[in-house]
Amino acid sequence: MFWDIAAKYYDFFEKIYNGRVYEKLGDRVADFVDETDTVLECACGTGCITKSVANACTSLIATDFSDGMLVQAQKNCKECSNITFAKANILALEYADASFDKVVAGNVIHLLDEPRKAMEELMRVCKPGGMLIIPTYVNICKDGKTSLAARFLELLGVKFKHQFSPTTYKEFFLKMGITDVSYSMVNGKMPCCIAVIKKNK
């Protein structure tokens, strides 16, 4: 699997190329987490967001589909005692309905063949009154062409199934009938748009 191989080099690449976003993203996500929350993180990768969220909540289950990413995440978060790491498929989560106060899925929606199915799963495991926090890279140039960064990553083996601009990212949720969403940007070479969705029922 590409991500198992890339795991050892992922942090280095992100810090060199997109360091401003990579360093700020975890703290920005953690701003939406309360100290009493139980949190599920899907696609935790090497733990860029994980550590900040763990420091803000009661307990965190951090999952990824890649064994290599989970190994790196555990190394990067070894000082956090409230994290349980587990392998999981974001399209078929083995957790009961309404299990978590907050559900986080960072920089994965654009990589999925079935992003709608993933969103349905994330919503399912979130408690009523809870929140989904979905940061996603937005990497389409204003003229509609693929950005240089995205093209470079594709050469390395990253498969972008969907490429969002800030506008089309908002349209993605609207097409699903999700309207209670707030957005904030983390700016850098490859900006990240954080969608925060309130689950009302």
PDB file of all heavy atoms in Angstrom, residues 94-132:
ATOM      1  N   GLU A  94     -16.530   0.076  12.802  1.00  0.00           N
ATOM      2  CA  GLU A  94     -17.056  -0.936  13.719  1.00  0.00           C
ATOM      3  C   GLU A  94     -17.324  -0.337  15.098  1.00  0.00           C
ATOM      4  O   GLU A  94     -16.874  -0.859  16.126  1.00  0.00           O
ATOM      5  CB  GLU A  94     -16.095  -2.119  13.787  1.00  0.00           C
ATOM      6  CG  GLU A  94     -15.940  -2.830  12.448  1.00  0.00           C
ATOM      7  CD  GLU A  94     -15.003  -4.025  12.509  1.00  0.00           C
ATOM      8  OE1 GLU A  94     -14.437  -4.291  13.600  1.00  0.00           O
ATOM      9  OE2 GLU A  94     -14.835  -4.694  11.478  1.00  0.00           O
ATOM     10  N   TYR A  95     -18.058   0.761  15.110  1.00  0.00           N
ATOM     11  CA  TYR A  95     -18.441   1.419  16.352  1.00  0.00           C
ATOM     12  C   TYR A  95     -19.952   1.622  16.342  1.00  0.00           C
ATOM     13  O   TYR A  95     -20.567   1.806  15.277  1.00  0.00           O
ATOM     14  CB  TYR A  95     -17.723   2.764  16.505  1.00  0.00           C
ATOM     15  CG  TYR A  95     -16.223   2.624  16.531  1.00  0.00           C
ATOM     16  CD1 TYR A  95     -15.450   2.953  15.414  1.00  0.00           C
ATOM     17  CD2 TYR A  95     -15.567   2.128  17.656  1.00  0.00           C
ATOM     18  CE1 TYR A  95     -14.074   2.802  15.421  1.00  0.00           C
ATOM     19  CE2 TYR A  95     -14.192   1.968  17.671  1.00  0.00           C
ATOM     20  CZ  TYR A  95     -13.448   2.300  16.556  1.00  0.00           C
ATOM     21  OH  TYR A  95     -12.086   2.139  16.572  1.00  0.00           O
ATOM     22  N   ALA A  96     -20.537   1.602  17.514  1.00  0.00           N
ATOM     23  CA  ALA A  96     -21.989   1.732  17.630  1.00  0.00           C
ATOM     24  C   ALA A  96     -22.444   3.132  17.254  1.00  0.00           C
ATOM     25  O   ALA A  96     -21.664   4.096  17.297  1.00  0.00           O
ATOM     26  CB  ALA A  96     -22.420   1.405  19.062  1.00  0.00           C
ATOM     27  N   ASP A  97     -23.711   3.236  16.893  1.00  0.00           N
ATOM     28  CA  ASP A  97     -24.303   4.537  16.619  1.00  0.00           C
ATOM     29  C   ASP A  97     -24.132   5.457  17.823  1.00  0.00           C
ATOM     30  O   ASP A  97     -24.197   5.015  18.977  1.00  0.00           O
ATOM     31  CB  ASP A  97     -25.801   4.400  16.327  1.00  0.00           C
ATOM     32  CG  ASP A  97     -26.096   3.604  15.065  1.00  0.00           C
ATOM     33  OD1 ASP A  97     -25.143   3.212  14.365  1.00  0.00           O
ATOM     34  OD2 ASP A  97     -27.286   3.373  14.786  1.00  0.00           O
ATOM     35  N   ALA A  98     -23.924   6.745  17.553  1.00  0.00           N
ATOM     36  CA  ALA A  98     -23.896   7.777  18.597  1.00  0.00           C
ATOM     37  C   ALA A  98     -22.904   7.453  19.717  1.00  0.00           C
ATOM     38  O   ALA A  98     -23.223   7.545  20.894  1.00  0.00           O
ATOM     39  CB  ALA A  98     -25.300   7.979  19.169  1.00  0.00           C
ATOM     40  N   SER A  99     -21.681   7.091  19.336  1.00  0.00           N
ATOM     41  CA  SER A  99     -20.663   6.698  20.323  1.00  0.00           C
ATOM     42  C   SER A  99     -19.748   7.835  20.762  1.00  0.00           C
ATOM     43  O   SER A  99     -19.146   7.750  21.840  1.00  0.00           O
ATOM     44  CB  SER A  99     -19.785   5.572  19.750  1.00  0.00           C
ATOM     45  OG  SER A  99     -20.526   4.407  19.544  1.00  0.00           O
ATOM     46  N   PHE A 100     -19.615   8.892  19.949  1.00  0.00           N
ATOM     47  CA  PHE A 100     -18.575   9.888  20.189  1.00  0.00           C
ATOM     48  C   PHE A 100     -19.136  11.311  20.202  1.00  0.00           C
ATOM     49  O   PHE A 100     -20.035  11.646  19.433  1.00  0.00           O
ATOM     50  CB  PHE A 100     -17.484   9.778  19.120  1.00  0.00           C
ATOM     51  CG  PHE A 100     -16.840   8.429  19.056  1.00  0.00           C
ATOM     52  CD1 PHE A 100     -17.283   7.467  18.164  1.00  0.00           C
ATOM     53  CD2 PHE A 100     -15.799   8.113  19.923  1.00  0.00           C
ATOM     54  CE1 PHE A 100     -16.703   6.214  18.118  1.00  0.00           C
ATOM     55  CE2 PHE A 100     -15.205   6.846  19.888  1.00  0.00           C
ATOM     56  CZ  PHE A 100     -15.653   5.905  18.985  1.00  0.00           C
ATOM     57  N   ASP A 101     -18.556  12.142  21.072  1.00  0.00           N
ATOM     58  CA  ASP A 101     -18.945  13.558  21.124  1.00  0.00           C
ATOM     59  C   ASP A 101     -18.444  14.323  19.901  1.00  0.00           C
ATOM     60  O   ASP A 101     -19.133  15.197  19.373  1.00  0.00           O
ATOM     61  CB  ASP A 101     -18.368  14.212  22.382  1.00  0.00           C
ATOM     62  CG  ASP A 101     -18.876  13.560  23.651  1.00  0.00           C
ATOM     63  OD1 ASP A 101     -20.094  13.624  23.890  1.00  0.00           O
ATOM     64  OD2 ASP A 101     -18.054  12.997  24.402  1.00  0.00           O
ATOM     65  N   LYS A 102     -17.234  14.010  19.487  1.00  0.00           N
ATOM     66  CA  LYS A 102     -16.637  14.648  18.308  1.00  0.00           C
ATOM     67  C   LYS A 102     -16.029  13.567  17.421  1.00  0.00           C
ATOM     68  O   LYS A 102     -15.469  12.575  17.927  1.00  0.00           O
ATOM     69  CB  LYS A 102     -15.539  15.657  18.716  1.00  0.00           C
ATOM     70  CG  LYS A 102     -16.012  16.723  19.712  1.00  0.00           C
ATOM     71  CD  LYS A 102     -16.881  17.771  19.081  1.00  0.00           C
ATOM     72  CE  LYS A 102     -17.598  18.632  20.118  1.00  0.00           C
ATOM     73  NZ  LYS A 102     -16.718  19.384  20.995  1.00  0.00           N
ATOM     74  N   VAL A 103     -16.137  13.774  16.125  1.00  0.00           N
ATOM     75  CA  VAL A 103     -15.558  12.849  15.147  1.00  0.00           C
ATOM     76  C   VAL A 103     -14.712  13.672  14.181  1.00  0.00           C
ATOM     77  O   VAL A 103     -15.196  14.641  13.594  1.00  0.00           O
ATOM     78  CB  VAL A 103     -16.653  12.075  14.386  1.00  0.00           C
ATOM     79  CG1 VAL A 103     -16.013  11.148  13.355  1.00  0.00           C
ATOM     80  CG2 VAL A 103     -17.524  11.276  15.354  1.00  0.00           C
ATOM     81  N   VAL A 104     -13.461  13.288  14.033  1.00  0.00           N
ATOM     82  CA  VAL A 104     -12.500  14.025  13.209  1.00  0.00           C
ATOM     83  C   VAL A 104     -12.043  13.136  12.050  1.00  0.00           C
ATOM     84  O   VAL A 104     -11.749  11.950  12.254  1.00  0.00           O
ATOM     85  CB  VAL A 104     -11.265  14.445  14.044  1.00  0.00           C
ATOM     86  CG1 VAL A 104     -10.254  15.186  13.176  1.00  0.00           C
ATOM     87  CG2 VAL A 104     -11.688  15.287  15.243  1.00  0.00           C
ATOM     88  N   ALA A 105     -11.984  13.707  10.860  1.00  0.00           N
ATOM     89  CA  ALA A 105     -11.420  12.992   9.705  1.00  0.00           C
ATOM     90  C   ALA A 105     -10.654  14.008   8.876  1.00  0.00           C
ATOM     91  O   ALA A 105     -11.244  14.787   8.126  1.00  0.00           O
ATOM     92  CB  ALA A 105     -12.507  12.324   8.880  1.00  0.00           C
ATOM     93  N   GLY A 106      -9.342  14.012   9.018  1.00  0.00           N
ATOM     94  CA  GLY A 106      -8.515  15.037   8.408  1.00  0.00           C
ATOM     95  C   GLY A 106      -7.863  14.605   7.105  1.00  0.00           C
ATOM     96  O   GLY A 106      -7.211  13.560   7.051  1.00  0.00           O
ATOM     97  N   ASN A 107      -8.065  15.398   6.060  1.00  0.00           N
ATOM     98  CA  ASN A 107      -7.364  15.240   4.791  1.00  0.00           C
ATOM     99  C   ASN A 107      -7.494  13.841   4.201  1.00  0.00           C
ATOM    100  O   ASN A 107      -6.510  13.223   3.789  1.00  0.00           O
ATOM    101  CB  ASN A 107      -5.892  15.639   4.961  1.00  0.00           C
ATOM    102  CG  ASN A 107      -5.757  17.095   5.308  1.00  0.00           C
ATOM    103  OD1 ASN A 107      -6.462  17.939   4.760  1.00  0.00           O
ATOM    104  ND2 ASN A 107      -4.869  17.417   6.230  1.00  0.00           N
ATOM    105  N   VAL A 108      -8.737  13.363   4.190  1.00  0.00           N
ATOM    106  CA  VAL A 108      -8.986  12.031   3.629  1.00  0.00           C
ATOM    107  C   VAL A 108     -10.149  12.016   2.650  1.00  0.00           C
ATOM    108  O   VAL A 108     -10.158  11.209   1.725  1.00  0.00           O
ATOM    109  CB  VAL A 108      -9.239  10.994   4.761  1.00  0.00           C
ATOM    110  CG1 VAL A 108     -10.520  11.306   5.532  1.00  0.00           C
ATOM    111  CG2 VAL A 108      -9.266   9.579   4.215  1.00  0.00           C
ATOM    112  N   ILE A 109     -11.112  12.928   2.799  1.00  0.00           N
ATOM    113  CA  ILE A 109     -12.305  12.905   1.966  1.00  0.00           C
ATOM    114  C   ILE A 109     -11.957  12.954   0.475  1.00  0.00           C
ATOM    115  O   ILE A 109     -12.571  12.273  -0.351  1.00  0.00           O
ATOM    116  CB  ILE A 109     -13.244  14.084   2.328  1.00  0.00           C
ATOM    117  CG1 ILE A 109     -13.795  13.897   3.751  1.00  0.00           C
ATOM    118  CG2 ILE A 109     -14.379  14.230   1.331  1.00  0.00           C
ATOM    119  CD1 ILE A 109     -14.652  12.663   3.927  1.00  0.00           C
ATOM    120  N   HIS A 110     -10.946  13.744   0.120  1.00  0.00           N
ATOM    121  CA  HIS A 110     -10.569  13.903  -1.286  1.00  0.00           C
ATOM    122  C   HIS A 110      -9.861  12.676  -1.862  1.00  0.00           C
ATOM    123  O   HIS A 110      -9.642  12.595  -3.069  1.00  0.00           O
ATOM    124  CB  HIS A 110      -9.688  15.143  -1.469  1.00  0.00           C
ATOM    125  CG  HIS A 110      -8.434  15.116  -0.657  1.00  0.00           C
ATOM    126  ND1 HIS A 110      -8.432  15.119   0.713  1.00  0.00           N
ATOM    127  CD2 HIS A 110      -7.130  15.078  -1.027  1.00  0.00           C
ATOM    128  CE1 HIS A 110      -7.193  15.086   1.156  1.00  0.00           C
ATOM    129  NE2 HIS A 110      -6.387  15.059   0.122  1.00  0.00           N
ATOM    130  N   LEU A 111      -9.525  11.715  -1.000  1.00  0.00           N
ATOM    131  CA  LEU A 111      -8.819  10.514  -1.452  1.00  0.00           C
ATOM    132  C   LEU A 111      -9.742   9.313  -1.636  1.00  0.00           C
ATOM    133  O   LEU A 111      -9.296   8.256  -2.085  1.00  0.00           O
ATOM    134  CB  LEU A 111      -7.728  10.140  -0.437  1.00  0.00           C
ATOM    135  CG  LEU A 111      -6.665  11.203  -0.152  1.00  0.00           C
ATOM    136  CD1 LEU A 111      -5.746  10.726   0.963  1.00  0.00           C
ATOM    137  CD2 LEU A 111      -5.868  11.534  -1.405  1.00  0.00           C
ATOM    138  N   LEU A 112     -11.021   9.467  -1.303  1.00  0.00           N
ATOM    139  CA  LEU A 112     -11.940   8.334  -1.246  1.00  0.00           C
ATOM    140  C   LEU A 112     -12.775   8.192  -2.511  1.00  0.00           C
ATOM    141  O   LEU A 112     -13.239   9.183  -3.079  1.00  0.00           O
ATOM    142  CB  LEU A 112     -12.876   8.488  -0.045  1.00  0.00           C
ATOM    143  CG  LEU A 112     -12.218   8.563   1.337  1.00  0.00           C
ATOM    144  CD1 LEU A 112     -13.269   8.868   2.392  1.00  0.00           C
ATOM    145  CD2 LEU A 112     -11.475   7.273   1.663  1.00  0.00           C
ATOM    146  N   ASP A 113     -13.014   6.933  -2.909  1.00  0.00           N
ATOM    147  CA  ASP A 113     -13.936   6.662  -4.019  1.00  0.00           C
ATOM    148  C   ASP A 113     -15.374   6.975  -3.612  1.00  0.00           C
ATOM    149  O   ASP A 113     -16.182   7.350  -4.459  1.00  0.00           O
ATOM    150  CB  ASP A 113     -13.841   5.190  -4.440  1.00  0.00           C
ATOM    151  CG  ASP A 113     -12.548   4.878  -5.174  1.00  0.00           C
ATOM    152  OD1 ASP A 113     -12.175   5.665  -6.069  1.00  0.00           O
ATOM    153  OD2 ASP A 113     -11.913   3.862  -4.854  1.00  0.00           O
ATOM    154  N   GLU A 114     -15.678   6.781  -2.322  1.00  0.00           N
ATOM    155  CA  GLU A 114     -17.050   6.966  -1.839  1.00  0.00           C
ATOM    156  C   GLU A 114     -17.084   7.939  -0.658  1.00  0.00           C
ATOM    157  O   GLU A 114     -17.370   7.547   0.477  1.00  0.00           O
ATOM    158  CB  GLU A 114     -17.648   5.628  -1.432  1.00  0.00           C
ATOM    159  CG  GLU A 114     -17.722   4.597  -2.551  1.00  0.00           C
ATOM    160  CD  GLU A 114     -18.272   3.271  -2.073  1.00  0.00           C
ATOM    161  OE1 GLU A 114     -19.502   3.097  -2.116  1.00  0.00           O
ATOM    162  OE2 GLU A 114     -17.475   2.424  -1.633  1.00  0.00           O
ATOM    163  N   PRO A 115     -16.830   9.213  -0.907  1.00  0.00           N
ATOM    164  CA  PRO A 115     -16.806  10.168   0.202  1.00  0.00           C
ATOM    165  C   PRO A 115     -18.160  10.331   0.888  1.00  0.00           C
ATOM    166  O   PRO A 115     -18.233  10.560   2.094  1.00  0.00           O
ATOM    167  CB  PRO A 115     -16.355  11.470  -0.456  1.00  0.00           C
ATOM    168  CG  PRO A 115     -16.705  11.323  -1.898  1.00  0.00           C
ATOM    169  CD  PRO A 115     -16.523   9.868  -2.196  1.00  0.00           C
ATOM    170  N   ARG A 116     -19.240  10.192   0.136  1.00  0.00           N
ATOM    171  CA  ARG A 116     -20.573  10.301   0.735  1.00  0.00           C
ATOM    172  C   ARG A 116     -20.792   9.180   1.765  1.00  0.00           C
ATOM    173  O   ARG A 116     -21.325   9.416   2.857  1.00  0.00           O
ATOM    174  CB  ARG A 116     -21.644  10.231  -0.351  1.00  0.00           C
ATOM    175  CG  ARG A 116     -23.072  10.271   0.185  1.00  0.00           C
ATOM    176  CD  ARG A 116     -24.071  10.169  -0.956  1.00  0.00           C
ATOM    177  NE  ARG A 116     -24.105  11.372  -1.751  1.00  0.00           N
ATOM    178  CZ  ARG A 116     -24.952  12.371  -1.544  1.00  0.00           C
ATOM    179  NH1 ARG A 116     -25.829  12.316  -0.555  1.00  0.00           N
ATOM    180  NH2 ARG A 116     -24.922  13.440  -2.314  1.00  0.00           N
ATOM    181  N   LYS A 117     -20.378   7.981   1.412  1.00  0.00           N
ATOM    182  CA  LYS A 117     -20.522   6.850   2.333  1.00  0.00           C
ATOM    183  C   LYS A 117     -19.703   7.088   3.597  1.00  0.00           C
ATOM    184  O   LYS A 117     -20.141   6.769   4.707  1.00  0.00           O
ATOM    185  CB  LYS A 117     -20.081   5.553   1.645  1.00  0.00           C
ATOM    186  CG  LYS A 117     -20.309   4.307   2.479  1.00  0.00           C
ATOM    187  CD  LYS A 117     -19.973   3.054   1.683  1.00  0.00           C
ATOM    188  CE  LYS A 117     -20.217   1.793   2.521  1.00  0.00           C
ATOM    189  NZ  LYS A 117     -19.879   0.565   1.743  1.00  0.00           N
ATOM    190  N   ALA A 118     -18.509   7.634   3.427  1.00  0.00           N
ATOM    191  CA  ALA A 118     -17.678   7.946   4.586  1.00  0.00           C
ATOM    192  C   ALA A 118     -18.369   8.959   5.490  1.00  0.00           C
ATOM    193  O   ALA A 118     -18.395   8.805   6.719  1.00  0.00           O
ATOM    194  CB  ALA A 118     -16.319   8.479   4.138  1.00  0.00           C
ATOM    195  N   MET A 119     -18.941  10.002   4.907  1.00  0.00           N
ATOM    196  CA  MET A 119     -19.634  11.013   5.697  1.00  0.00           C
ATOM    197  C   MET A 119     -20.818  10.418   6.442  1.00  0.00           C
ATOM    198  O   MET A 119     -21.091  10.774   7.600  1.00  0.00           O
ATOM    199  CB  MET A 119     -20.096  12.163   4.798  1.00  0.00           C
ATOM    200  CG  MET A 119     -18.974  13.062   4.298  1.00  0.00           C
ATOM    201  SD  MET A 119     -18.035  13.838   5.640  1.00  0.00           S
ATOM    202  CE  MET A 119     -19.340  14.659   6.553  1.00  0.00           C
ATOM    203  N   GLU A 120     -21.521   9.502   5.810  1.00  0.00           N
ATOM    204  CA  GLU A 120     -22.650   8.845   6.479  1.00  0.00           C
ATOM    205  C   GLU A 120     -22.172   8.040   7.692  1.00  0.00           C
ATOM    206  O   GLU A 120     -22.829   8.038   8.738  1.00  0.00           O
ATOM    207  CB  GLU A 120     -23.387   7.949   5.486  1.00  0.00           C
ATOM    208  CG  GLU A 120     -24.151   8.730   4.424  1.00  0.00           C
ATOM    209  CD  GLU A 120     -24.682   7.853   3.302  1.00  0.00           C
ATOM    210  OE1 GLU A 120     -24.317   6.650   3.263  1.00  0.00           O
ATOM    211  OE2 GLU A 120     -25.439   8.375   2.455  1.00  0.00           O
ATOM    212  N   GLU A 121     -21.046   7.379   7.559  1.00  0.00           N
ATOM    213  CA  GLU A 121     -20.486   6.614   8.677  1.00  0.00           C
ATOM    214  C   GLU A 121     -20.027   7.537   9.806  1.00  0.00           C
ATOM    215  O   GLU A 121     -20.262   7.275  10.991  1.00  0.00           O
ATOM    216  CB  GLU A 121     -19.316   5.748   8.199  1.00  0.00           C
ATOM    217  CG  GLU A 121     -19.722   4.434   7.583  1.00  0.00           C
ATOM    218  CD  GLU A 121     -20.325   3.503   8.640  1.00  0.00           C
ATOM    219  OE1 GLU A 121     -19.572   2.753   9.278  1.00  0.00           O
ATOM    220  OE2 GLU A 121     -21.553   3.536   8.815  1.00  0.00           O
ATOM    221  N   LEU A 122     -19.347   8.617   9.447  1.00  0.00           N
ATOM    222  CA  LEU A 122     -18.889   9.564  10.462  1.00  0.00           C
ATOM    223  C   LEU A 122     -20.072  10.176  11.212  1.00  0.00           C
ATOM    224  O   LEU A 122     -20.036  10.328  12.442  1.00  0.00           O
ATOM    225  CB  LEU A 122     -18.057  10.669   9.802  1.00  0.00           C
ATOM    226  CG  LEU A 122     -16.768  10.230   9.103  1.00  0.00           C
ATOM    227  CD1 LEU A 122     -16.140  11.393   8.371  1.00  0.00           C
ATOM    228  CD2 LEU A 122     -15.784   9.624  10.089  1.00  0.00           C
ATOM    229  N   MET A 123     -21.120  10.492  10.475  1.00  0.00           N
ATOM    230  CA  MET A 123     -22.321  11.048  11.100  1.00  0.00           C
ATOM    231  C   MET A 123     -22.999  10.015  11.996  1.00  0.00           C
ATOM    232  O   MET A 123     -23.497  10.341  13.087  1.00  0.00           O
ATOM    233  CB  MET A 123     -23.288  11.523  10.013  1.00  0.00           C
ATOM    234  CG  MET A 123     -24.455  12.350  10.517  1.00  0.00           C
ATOM    235  SD  MET A 123     -23.971  14.004  11.075  1.00  0.00           S
ATOM    236  CE  MET A 123     -23.735  14.836   9.498  1.00  0.00           C
ATOM    237  N   ARG A 124     -23.013   8.787  11.555  1.00  0.00           N
ATOM    238  CA  ARG A 124     -23.675   7.719  12.318  1.00  0.00           C
ATOM    239  C   ARG A 124     -23.080   7.542  13.707  1.00  0.00           C
ATOM    240  O   ARG A 124     -23.802   7.364  14.698  1.00  0.00           O
ATOM    241  CB  ARG A 124     -23.587   6.391  11.539  1.00  0.00           C
ATOM    242  CG  ARG A 124     -24.224   5.209  12.253  1.00  0.00           C
ATOM    243  CD  ARG A 124     -24.039   3.916  11.482  1.00  0.00           C
ATOM    244  NE  ARG A 124     -22.642   3.494  11.406  1.00  0.00           N
ATOM    245  CZ  ARG A 124     -21.987   2.874  12.394  1.00  0.00           C
ATOM    246  NH1 ARG A 124     -22.574   2.638  13.567  1.00  0.00           N
ATOM    247  NH2 ARG A 124     -20.714   2.499  12.230  1.00  0.00           N
ATOM    248  N   VAL A 125     -21.761   7.572  13.811  1.00  0.00           N
ATOM    249  CA  VAL A 125     -21.114   7.285  15.099  1.00  0.00           C
ATOM    250  C   VAL A 125     -21.027   8.513  16.001  1.00  0.00           C
ATOM    251  O   VAL A 125     -20.598   8.413  17.147  1.00  0.00           O
ATOM    252  CB  VAL A 125     -19.714   6.671  14.908  1.00  0.00           C
ATOM    253  CG1 VAL A 125     -19.805   5.366  14.129  1.00  0.00           C
ATOM    254  CG2 VAL A 125     -18.760   7.641  14.224  1.00  0.00           C
ATOM    255  N   CYS A 126     -21.432   9.661  15.489  1.00  0.00           N
ATOM    256  CA  CYS A 126     -21.403  10.900  16.275  1.00  0.00           C
ATOM    257  C   CYS A 126     -22.701  11.032  17.076  1.00  0.00           C
ATOM    258  O   CYS A 126     -23.791  10.747  16.579  1.00  0.00           O
ATOM    259  CB  CYS A 126     -21.244  12.094  15.339  1.00  0.00           C
ATOM    260  SG  CYS A 126     -21.062  13.684  16.175  1.00  0.00           S
ATOM    261  N   LYS A 127     -22.592  11.482  18.309  1.00  0.00           N
ATOM    262  CA  LYS A 127     -23.762  11.673  19.160  1.00  0.00           C
ATOM    263  C   LYS A 127     -24.599  12.862  18.682  1.00  0.00           C
ATOM    264  O   LYS A 127     -24.046  13.840  18.169  1.00  0.00           O
ATOM    265  CB  LYS A 127     -23.328  11.940  20.606  1.00  0.00           C
ATOM    266  CG  LYS A 127     -22.626  10.785  21.294  1.00  0.00           C
ATOM    267  CD  LYS A 127     -22.202  11.197  22.694  1.00  0.00           C
ATOM    268  CE  LYS A 127     -21.460  10.063  23.408  1.00  0.00           C
ATOM    269  NZ  LYS A 127     -21.007  10.475  24.763  1.00  0.00           N
ATOM    270  N   PRO A 128     -25.909  12.807  18.876  1.00  0.00           N
ATOM    271  CA  PRO A 128     -26.727  14.003  18.637  1.00  0.00           C
ATOM    272  C   PRO A 128     -26.217  15.157  19.496  1.00  0.00           C
ATOM    273  O   PRO A 128     -25.913  14.977  20.679  1.00  0.00           O
ATOM    274  CB  PRO A 128     -28.126  13.561  19.074  1.00  0.00           C
ATOM    275  CG  PRO A 128     -28.119  12.066  18.925  1.00  0.00           C
ATOM    276  CD  PRO A 128     -26.716  11.640  19.279  1.00  0.00           C
ATOM    277  N   GLY A 129     -26.091  16.327  18.895  1.00  0.00           N
ATOM    278  CA  GLY A 129     -25.511  17.467  19.594  1.00  0.00           C
ATOM    279  C   GLY A 129     -24.008  17.528  19.487  1.00  0.00           C
ATOM    280  O   GLY A 129     -23.384  18.501  19.914  1.00  0.00           O
ATOM    281  N   GLY A 130     -23.402  16.487  18.910  1.00  0.00           N
ATOM    282  CA  GLY A 130     -21.957  16.459  18.717  1.00  0.00           C
ATOM    283  C   GLY A 130     -21.544  17.130  17.421  1.00  0.00           C
ATOM    284  O   GLY A 130     -22.367  17.739  16.730  1.00  0.00           O
ATOM    285  N   MET A 131     -20.270  16.989  17.086  1.00  0.00           N
ATOM    286  CA  MET A 131     -19.759  17.651  15.886  1.00  0.00           C
ATOM    287  C   MET A 131     -18.828  16.753  15.099  1.00  0.00           C
ATOM    288  O   MET A 131     -18.082  15.957  15.672  1.00  0.00           O
ATOM    289  CB  MET A 131     -19.001  18.941  16.255  1.00  0.00           C
ATOM    290  CG  MET A 131     -19.883  20.065  16.742  1.00  0.00           C
ATOM    291  SD  MET A 131     -19.025  21.675  16.779  1.00  0.00           S
ATOM    292  CE  MET A 131     -17.655  21.337  17.876  1.00  0.00           C
ATOM    293  N   LEU A 132     -18.893  16.912  13.781  1.00  0.00           N
ATOM    294  CA  LEU A 132     -17.907  16.336  12.875  1.00  0.00           C
ATOM    295  C   LEU A 132     -16.954  17.450  12.478  1.00  0.00           C
ATOM    296  O   LEU A 132     -17.385  18.555  12.131  1.00  0.00           O
ATOM    297  CB  LEU A 132     -18.575  15.779  11.615  1.00  0.00           C
ATOM    298  CG  LEU A 132     -19.191  14.383  11.679  1.00  0.00           C
ATOM    299  CD1 LEU A 132     -20.328  14.331  12.692  1.00  0.00           C
ATOM    300  CD2 LEU A 132     -19.694  13.971  10.303  1.00  0.00           C
TER     301      LEU A 132
END
